[in-house]
Amino acid sequence: MEIHKLVDKAFKRDLSDPSALNDAFDTLRLLEPENFSLAHEKNKEVRRLSAKYAAERTDMKMFELNKRALLFDAPYDFDAAIRYAEWDREPKKKFYMPRRKQLLPVVQAMQRLSERKIRILGVMAPPGVGKTTIELMFMVMEGLKNPDLSILMGSHSNSFLRGAYEEVGRMLDPKGEYLWKDIFPAVQVVKTNAQDMRIDLGKRKRFETFEFSSIGSGNAGKVRASNLLVADDLVPDIE
């Protein structure tokens, strides 16, 4: 039977049954090499239904299927990636889901930036809404996707960048509470430099995957932004 027909047949079953929905998800894994876009588009339905029934019934099978469906999309979808990466965190510690309704437009814009549908993205919002944390998560995902390219983060404040460097390190810790290691299992941290605030993924190279450098610190020839340039508060105080 052709894969497309198998998928159609699977999705016509009663998908409120955990076994039927699980079978439908498995057909998407078969479909992905043949039709990537359709497989991931239909997976949104699996994610929606599994989340719905997991909540309504406290159904652990649906709960686990929702996790697997998120992981299926996570390497390519920023929204799914953040949700999966924070899966094991305690509910009161989770950053994204309590703020998802407000931050989703930003996340969707970052997705377009990742796909290079846009080249420049400016985010303006009141202090404390999570702009910096969401951009650090975006940096982590883009670094893991393209470890051989460099991401440069700049700010007027060296102490601010020190905090950003440490937070990225925590997100990448394979023994930590984030699950980025599940999404990109083949990519690991190979070098850290706390003094210069550098983190390198994959193979070692001159310009590390993540670089943090403040304005006026003499950056010529020292850093590169071959993947992303992230600017956060370049000008101090009210200026």
Side-chain angles (χ1 to χ4, degrees):
M1 183 182 294
E2 295 180 8
I3 297 299
H4 285 77
K5 292 181 179 178
L6 187 65
V7 171
D8 289 341
K9 184 177 180 181
F11 274 82
K12 288 177 181 177
R13 295 173 63 189
D14 178 9
L15 298 182
S16 65
D17 177 4
S19 296
L21 190 58
N22 189 76
D23 289 346
F25 173 68
D26 286 340
T27 65
L28 300 182
R29 299 171 67 182
L30 296 173
L31 177 64
E32 185 186 38
E34 183 176 310
N35 193 327
F36 180 93
S37 297
L38 181 60
H40 287 275
E41 183 62 33
K42 292 191 77 67
N43 188 51
K44 293 179 181 178
E45 182 70 0
V46 176
R47 287 165 48 185
R48 184 185 69 81
L49 291 173
S50 58
K52 176 178 182 290
Y53 295 130
E56 289 178 357
R57 308 172 186 169
T58 319
D59 189 326
M60 290 305 299
K61 289 184 178 180
M62 288 293 191
F63 188 75
E64 288 301 319
L65 177 57
N66 186 249
K67 183 179 181 181
R68 292 171 59 212
L70 277 174
L71 181 58
F72 184 64
D73 284 343
Y76 321 102
D77 184 286
F78 185 39
D79 175 65
I82 313 169
R83 294 168 67 183
Y84 184 88
E86 289 199 292
W87 187 273
D88 283 352
R89 301 190 79 196
E90 295 179 22
K92 63 181 180 181
K93 289 186 176 181
K94 289 186 179 183
F95 164 78
Y96 184 54
M97 286 306 292
R99 302 169 175 83
R100 184 171 180 260
K101 181 179 179 180
Q102 291 74 28
L103 288 176
L104 187 58
V106 178
V107 167
Q108 291 170 336
M110 289 178 169
Q111 179 70 32
R112 294 195 297 274
L113 183 64
S114 175
E115 295 169 357
R116 299 304 189 254
K117 293 178 180 178
I118 57 175
R119 303 296 297 183
I120 298 173
L121 173 64
V123 179
M124 291 169 284
V129 300
K131 299 186 301 296
T132 297
T133 302
I134 207 71
E135 77 185 6
L136 293 178
M137 288 181 167
F138 184 62
M139 288 170 59
V140 167
M141 181 165 178
E142 289 302 297
L144 288 165
K145 284 170 59 179
N146 301 286
D148 293 336
L149 301 178
S150 297
I151 296 174
L152 171 61
M153 184 178 197
S155 176
H156 78 275
S157 169
N158 206 55
S159 61
F160 167 81
L161 290 173
R162 173 69 56 186
Y165 161 81
E166 292 174 354
E167 184 61 22
V168 168
R170 282 192 290 270
M171 290 182 188
L172 291 169
D173 182 357
K175 297 180 180 179
E177 58 185 348
Y178 291 92
L179 298 180
W180 292 103
K181 61 184 178 296
D182 291 357
I183 303 173
F184 300 97
V187 184
Q188 298 178 348
V189 174
V190 293
K191 180 184 177 183
T192 59
N193 183 333
Q195 180 178 346
D196 294 334
M197 296 183 289
R198 310 287 184 87
I199 302 173
D200 214 0
L201 304 181
K203 59 185 179 182
R204 294 192 178 193
K205 43 200 169 290
R206 179 184 174 189
F207 298 108
E208 291 86 346
T209 310
F210 301 102
E211 303 170 334
F212 303 81
S213 190
S214 59
I215 299 299
S217 60
N219 291 315
K222 188 177 75 173
V223 293
R224 286 288 186 276
S226 54
N227 186 349
L228 288 173
L229 173 62
V230 180
D232 194 317
D233 289 336
L234 297 183
V235 181
D237 303 321
I238 199 168
E239 298 171 14

